[in-house]
Structures are given as structure tokens and as C-alpha cells.
Amino acid sequence: MKIQGKIWKFGDDVDTDLIIPARYLNTSEPAELAKHCMEDADPDFVNKSSAGDIIIGGKNFGCGSSREHAPIAIKAAGISCVIAKSFARIFYRNAFNMGLPILECDETDRFESGNSLSVDFDTGEIILIEEDAKFITKPIPPFMQELVKSGGLMNHIAKQI
Amino acid sequence: MSMTITEKILAAHADLDRVEPGDLINARVDIALANDITAPISIDRFEKSGATKVFDKNAVILVPDHFVPNKDINSAMQAKVLREFAKAQDLTYFYDAGEMGVEHALLPEQGLVLPGDLIIGADSHTCTYGGLGAFATGMGSTDLAAAMVTGEVWLKVPETMKFVFTGKLNPYVEGKDLILYTIGDIGVDGALYRSMEFTGSVIDNLGMAGRLTMANMAIEAGAKNGIFIPDEATEEYVSGRAKREYKFYTSDEDAEYTLVKEYDVSNIEPQIAFPHLPENSRGISDVGEIAIDQVVIGSCTNGRIEDMRSAASILKGKKIAKGLRLIIIPATPWIYRTAMDEGLFKIFLDAGAIISPPTCGPCLGGHMGILAKGEKAVATTNRNFVGRMGHPESEVYLASPVVAAASAVLGKIGGPDQVM
Ligand code: SF4
């Protein structure tokens, strides 16, 4: 699968309170959560971004709480994927479990907000359109690939019930 | 072949003789936990999976602690989802308002999580139970839903970092200061995907409350789990309250660690973590003049009876600064009652504090003490992210109960030395 989208860049250690503040966690309704996606990092994010856009992070993206509301909010806001130097482990699991594509790439410093990327999930290749520059991401571990193929963790275990 | 305590517990729960870092295993869980924020999603996923019964009604624990007593209509609806599911599934351990406490203080206290266990929880601070010598880690709601169905979880065996604490603790230095110092040293992703094992002569004498506080914040360094080797202090704590059998594991002497860090604690003074990351810790003497509006003493990090006693030892016979709000939250009903019986409530009320019922409350900016724009708070909690306790332009400084109490008296950040 290939996608293309505009970049919104954030820094290191983007925590789950920035992605979706706890004051909105009295619901788990995706559309409600999407309204407040990244609100405390950029109050205007939801209005500025459009479907298919890509979030770029530095190291340790998604640190903090275990709230699955974070990847849910990002996905429901129409973001097509998150690319960061590294992900906090619970966010990493959650993203795969609920089907938000994420990729690890050491060179996210090269990308700027407003740039466009084309991402090939099968090969893990990223192209920075403005510069026609190619970047390689870390391969997705085989077990995670299997999860994605099954359509997430619940479908994966449904076979066992 | 030698293994760490974490590797041994994981191997035992996967029916393997041996595991190594990087191995992907399917392991049995002893306890699966969720709260009023995370459980509604788990329950929805559980029901959609076609499952009808949880794998073990004694092993799935639900604690609505974040927004309970219900702060608004939506949170009331969420708590109701838990209540109805607990009833339908006949769950043995569902803690509704009145019995409810902050989950990570409640479960050890009630003897529900034990040494040698493998525990997963849809809450990042599930790692607290490593204080007992268990493997415990936080996950999301979907992982939890899967475990509710199968009683199993897939895990990658983590590498282990060992932290050795030696020397003599300075006055007023507690477990909280040791973990803030450690996170300050290695950073908020310093232990990403890894296990943190805490040892050394200082740890041997730390006591269970301090160990639970330290394990609680392992996630603040990105770790999968934090763990302590169980000993006599552990035995004394769990015997009498354990609801099941338990087992002590230990690390082999020649077990392999990716990194060993040694800290001489004589160099560590009471710590404060500045906004907006727990890694921004510094010694109390380097703080400068920072006026504060609110102090919160509570949470799964420092809301235990020992923390209440520490705070009271500082507040006794004193008044908090004029215009400052001091909110004290005993983490469980037992702690609440014990603090009352020991006369601590009188000390708190005389000092001018507000005593909240057990709840997470302000720790996550939920309710019972939200900060306004520009306000600053000292809290004994574990996170000081942007907007964590309220307005995105408010600030949270993390500290131990004695530092928090002293700061409440001073009206600015300061140590116990300045008021005693
Ligand atoms: S007290 Fe705070 S950190 Fe602990 S479980 Fe509650 S919200 Fe989470």
C-alpha cells in the first residue's frame, strides 16, 4: 500500500497528554476524540490538517499513558500514518493493535511541516517529494506484520476462540 | 544458564526453561486490570470478538478510579459500563465507589498482585507491582481485551538494565527522589523497551512503599517494567494479605545486563522534576524561588499510608501559606481510615488542607484540583507533561511528600529543612 500526504512536524517526547488530553477521556467515541487531537501541542491542528496528512515526531513518540484514545484520536482525525525516530512501547503496541500505521525512521529531522511525503508500507520506503529524496524506515517485525494482515489483534485472536 | 528475575518470570509463564532478550513469547497472565478510562474500550472489543466469558473471573480486575466519584455525565456512563460488565461476568474483584482506591495502591494492599506474578494492566503505571517482585507492565485496551478472552499475552522479552544504589541516604531522601534522580540521569526514553532492575544496599533497606514508588515510575523512563528482588520485607508485606500462592524469583549472579549503573546515594538530595518532563529533575538546592498555587499529595506514586505519615510529620503544628491550596488524597479507603485513626486528618485540617476521597482526581487533570492558566503546582504524582493537571499553560513540579508538604507551608518550592 502507498500513501501520499502533507507533513505536520512535532518534536521529541510527544506524550499522550499532548495527543489527547485526559480532560477529554470521559468518552471513547473516535469522532469526539478526533476533535481534540494534538490540541495542547497545537490548538489549531485539527482545523489545519486534512485527511491523509502525516504526523512526524522525533524520539519517543507517544510516551506516557497507556490510553488507546491517543492512536484512536490520530486515526479518527484522518491522519494516514505517524513517522518518528522511535516510539514509546505502549503506543507502538496500541497503534498496531488498532490499525494505525506507524514507521520508525532515523532521519525525521530532514522533514519540515508543509513538505509532502510518499510512503510505501510494503517496502518501507519514504520519498520526500519536494527534494525527490529517498529514505528507508526500519522494517516492521514479522509478528507485527502478521497482526496487520489479520486486521489487528482482536481478529488475530478471534481465530482462537 | 543464567537469567534475570524478569526473564525467569516470563519463562515460567510461557512454560519455557529459558528465554532471552528479543524472544517473542506467548505468556499466561495472572492478573489483567483496567480502569474507568481504559476498560470501556476493552469491554467493547471483548464483546465484538464474540467471546462470552472472561478467561477467569478471579483474574480480571476492574477499578473505576480516574473520574469516580463520577465527575460528569460522560464519566458516569463509563463507570456504568464497568459496573454492568462486572455484574454480567460475575467478577470477584470489582471495586465500586466506597471500596474503590487508586488501582496501583489498591491491588498490592488487597493482596491481589503478588511476587512472581505476570500482570498486565490497561494503565501505564501497572509497572508499580514490580515493587513486589512481579513482572508487571502497562498496555492498551485492545491488548487487555485479548487477555480477557485468552488469559494470554504476547510479549517480547526485554533486555535488562541494572541500577545499584549504595551509600547512605541523606535526610528526607526517599524512593521518590531516587527514581527522579535516575530518570534525570537516563532520560524519559533511557530505558525504552527495557526492564529496570533496582538493587543495592540502599534498596535492601528501602521498605515496600519506597519500592512501589520507584517501580511506579519505571514507565517514566520508557521501561517495560521495573522490578525488585523480593526479600524479607516483601514476605512481611504480602504474607497475611495474599489472596493466592506466590513465588519469589531472583536474578542469577551471572545474569546478563545491557547496562549496569551505580549510584552513590550520598550525592543525592531531595529532587524536584521541573515542567514538562520527569527527566528535568534537579536537587532542591538548585531550585531557586518558585512561588506555587497548589500542592497535591496523593496518587499511585505517593498516596500510601507512609506518604500520609511523612506529610503529616512536616505539617504538624503548622499552617500552609495563605492563598495556597493543599489537596491530600489518601489512595485507598484503608489508607483513608488509617490516616484518620492515627490522627493525621486533624494535622492536615489544622494546617488548612483539603482531604479528598480516594481518586486519581487531579493527577491526570481529571477533577478535584484542576490548575488555571499560569498556575504552578507541586505534586507527589508521576507526570508533569504539558496540561497534565489542567490548563496547557499551567506547570507541575514533581516531588516527594515531605518536599510537597514543606512547599505548601512555604508557599514556594522548598525542602523540609526550611520548615523544620
Ligand atoms: S494516580 Fe495518576 S498516574 Fe496513578 S493511575 Fe491514577 S491517573 Fe494514573
Side-chain angles (χ1 to χ4, degrees):
Chain A
M1 190 179 80
K2 251 188 183 169
I3 58 127
Q4 187 170 325
K6 202 161 67 185
I7 288 177
W8 298 97
K9 189 172 165 182
F10 297 89
D12 289 338
D13 306 311
V14 169
D15 61 71
T16 50
D17 283 277
L18 285 181
I19 300 171
I20 179 77
R23 56 184 178 274
Y24 303 121
L25 298 186
N26 55 4
T27 175
S28 51
E29 203 48 61
E32 272 306 306
L33 296 171
K35 286 186 200 160
H36 306 288
C37 181
M38 304 306 291
E39 184 173 295
D40 285 358
D42 179 353
D44 218 19
F45 176 76
V46 177
N47 300 327
K48 293 191 299 197
S49 64
S50 28
D53 285 359
I54 295 168
I55 287 180
I56 300 288
K59 69 173 179 73
N60 201 26
F61 187 94
C63 62
S65 143
S66 69
R67 62 188 70 153
E68 213 157 295
H69 312 65
I72 291 175
I74 293 176
K75 196 175 177 202
I79 298 302
S80 61
C81 81
V82 183
I83 304 172
K85 285 185 198 160
S86 61
F87 290 91
R89 48 163 287 277
I90 304 179
F91 185 91
Y92 187 85
R93 279 185 89 110
N94 285 347
F96 277 98
N97 283 344
M98 47 91 37
L100 171 72
I102 58 174
L103 289 168
E104 287 181 302
C105 174
D106 288 333
E107 295 178 90
T108 59
D109 291 341
R110 291 276 304 274
F111 311 148
E112 289 306 328
S113 287
N115 289 163
S116 295
L117 291 182
S118 139
V119 183
D120 186 333
F121 290 116
D122 299 321
T123 61
E125 215 174 72
I126 302 177
I127 294 170
L128 176 57
I129 308 236
E130 283 76 7
E131 298 179 18
D132 197 23
K134 210 183 268 180
F135 302 88
I136 293 295
T137 56
K138 284 198 199 131
I140 297 172
F143 178 74
M144 310 306 268
Q145 283 179 24
E146 212 179 292
L147 276 189
V148 175
K149 271 191 214 135
S150 315
L153 181 67
M154 291 316 284
N155 288 334
H156 188 72
I157 67 147
K159 297 176 202 154
Q160 300 169 32
I161 299 174
Chain B
M1 288 291 268
S2 54
M3 287 192 281
T4 65
I5 177 170
T6 291
E7 289 157 7
K8 285 184 190 173
I9 295 173
L10 292 179
H13 285 80
D15 297 322
L16 298 168
D17 294 333
R18 171 169 181 78
V19 295
E20 280 180 44
D23 287 356
L24 209 56
I25 59 166
N26 217 33
R28 266 178 290 110
V29 304
D30 294 302
I31 294 293
L33 160 78
N35 59 49
D36 48 328
I37 289 181
T38 57
I41 300 179
S42 301
I43 292 168
D44 181 60
R45 305 245 194 277
F46 176 90
E47 284 168 352
K48 284 189 180 137
S49 78
T52 51
K53 278 272 160 216
V54 297
F55 81 101
D56 179 353
K57 73 188 189 82
N58 297 314
V60 175
I61 301 179
L62 299 181
V63 186
D65 54 357
H66 281 60
F67 295 149
V68 173
N70 307 330
K71 74 158 179 145
D72 55 20
I73 294 170
N74 277 347
S75 59
M77 297 301 288
Q78 285 183 307
K80 193 168 170 219
V81 171
L82 274 66
R83 197 170 295 129
E84 287 173 354
F85 184 78
K87 192 159 181 236
Q89 293 288 330
D90 192 25
L91 299 186
T92 313
Y93 304 111
F94 168 62
Y95 291 88
D96 214 340
E99 302 179 303
M100 177 276 289
V102 175
E103 54 201 289
H104 310 306
L106 187 70
L107 268 52
E109 172 197 295
Q110 296 296 316
L112 296 171
V113 287
L114 297 165
D117 276 358
L118 191 156
I119 303 144
I120 66 163
D123 189 277
S124 59
H125 294 103
T126 301
C127 54
T128 308
Y129 316 132
L132 302 164
F135 175 88
T137 190
M139 295 190 177
S141 299
T142 302
D143 274 312
L144 196 91
M148 279 170 28
V149 177
T150 63
E152 291 179 353
V153 64
W154 69 266
L155 290 163
K156 195 160 105 185
V157 178
E159 295 175 336
T160 299
M161 297 167 84
K162 181 160 144 174
F163 297 84
V164 188
F165 296 86
T166 56
K168 194 170 168 300
L169 283 177
N170 288 311
Y172 299 119
V173 173
E174 309 175 357
K176 182 62 164 287
D177 304 296
L178 299 182
I179 192 66
L180 287 177
Y181 181 88
T182 306
I183 297 165
D185 183 46
I186 67 172
V188 289
D189 63 347
L192 193 59
Y193 295 112
R194 292 177 173 164
S195 170
M196 297 172 87
E197 187 175 315
F198 302 100
T199 65
S201 54
V202 174
I203 300 298
D204 297 341
N205 298 314
L206 191 61
M208 294 314 292
R211 294 182 198 180
L212 292 163
T213 298
M214 290 181 72
N216 174 271
M217 290 193 72
I219 179 70
E220 261 45 82
K224 183 170 223 149
N225 70 316
I227 199 160
F228 292 72
I229 309 290
D231 59 9
E232 275 167 33
T234 320
E235 179 63 33
E236 200 179 309
Y237 182 85
V238 290
S239 68
R241 65 179 89 214
K243 298 269 197 295
R244 293 173 282 118
E245 300 273 294
Y246 53 90
K247 188 170 172 186
F248 281 14
Y249 290 88
T250 186
S251 289
D252 293 321
E253 257 170 45
D254 53 350
E256 276 185 39
Y257 296 92
T258 45
L259 190 84
V260 178
K261 280 247 173 201
E262 289 197 27
Y263 297 123
D264 179 352
V265 300
S266 339
N267 302 323
I268 301 178
E269 53 171 345
Q271 299 285 305
I272 299 274
F274 274 51
H276 291 285
L277 285 176
E279 70 182 18
N280 298 334
S281 58
R282 55 173 92 166
I284 190 81
S285 57
D286 292 329
V287 167
E289 289 279 313
I290 299 175
I292 50 173
D293 305 282
Q294 179 167 301
V295 169
V296 175
I297 300 176
S299 86
C300 58
T301 319
N302 284 117
R304 278 174 282 275
I305 189 65
E306 291 82 354
D307 303 311
M308 298 297 124
R309 290 177 189 140
S310 294
S313 73
I314 304 292
L315 292 168
K316 189 161 189 194
K318 299 192 189 64
K319 289 253 179 257
I320 61 170
K322 204 165 164 39
L324 179 136
R325 290 114 41 196
L326 169 60
I327 301 166
I328 299 183
I329 313 174
T332 69
W334 178 84
I335 298 167
Y336 194 93
R337 180 182 292 276
T338 307
M340 191 171 69
D341 291 349
E342 290 182 3
L344 308 186
F345 277 15
K346 183 167 178 350
I347 296 172
F348 296 154
L349 293 171
D350 286 349
I354 303 155
I355 303 168
S356 156
T359 178
C360 292
C363 171
L364 79 162
H367 58 153
M368 307 288 288
I370 304 303
L371 298 175
K373 182 174 177 176
E375 286 190 329
K376 294 183 169 66
V378 170
T380 67
T381 56
N382 46 41
R383 286 189 178 136
N384 53 356
F385 299 153
V386 170
R388 177 72 181 179
M389 200 172 271
H391 195 281
E393 285 171 45
S394 61
E395 292 183 352
V396 177
Y397 295 77
L398 305 174
S400 71
V402 287
V403 171
S407 302
V409 173
L410 294 164
K412 59 178 187 172
I413 302 177
D417 285 341
Q418 290 167 256
V419 297
M420 296 303 279

